Amino acid sequence: ESYKYKNTLIEIDINEKTFCPFPYIEIEGEDEAQIVEVVALLGYTLEDTTSKTIYEILKSKQVAKGL
């Protein structure tokens, strides 16, 4: 699902369990202030976030095989 809030794009990704066994949210904005606003509206802080790609997250969690 994709949503737009002001100039920010919010995507809720639910993939095949064989690729990524957990849902995650991507937030894209023109600047950090916009991203911080959306993160806060969703009830999170920047400390709860990462700029890693999904492949990096899966590798760090040792979920993905062959990455």
Side-chain angles (χ1 to χ4, degrees), residues 14-43:
I14 302 173
N15 294 288
E16 294 292 325
K17 297 274 187 215
T18 56
F19 171 67
C20 180
F22 51 84
Y24 59 95
I25 300 172
E26 291 183 66
I27 303 169
E28 298 175 8
E30 294 178 356
D31 58 46
E32 187 174 327
Q34 291 178 356
I35 294 170
V36 168
E37 179 181 0
V38 171
V39 167
L41 287 170
L42 293 172

Side-chain angles (χ1 to χ4, degrees), residues 5-61:
Y5 175 76
K6 298 183 180 180
N7 291 323
T8 310
L9 178 65
I10 302 116
E11 293 187 349
I12 302 171
D13 292 324
I14 302 173
N15 294 288
E16 294 292 325
K17 297 274 187 215
T18 56
F19 171 67
C20 180
F22 51 84
Y24 59 95
I25 300 172
E26 291 183 66
I27 303 169
E28 298 175 8
E30 294 178 356
D31 58 46
E32 187 174 327
Q34 291 178 356
I35 294 170
V36 168
E37 179 181 0
V38 171
V39 167
L41 287 170
L42 293 172
Y44 297 99
T45 66
L46 278 187
E47 289 75 31
D48 298 314
T49 69
T50 183
S51 61
K52 292 180 181 178
T53 67
I54 189 59
Y55 298 103
E56 292 169 325
I57 293 169
L58 292 172
K59 187 174 182 179
S60 73
K61 292 185 171 289

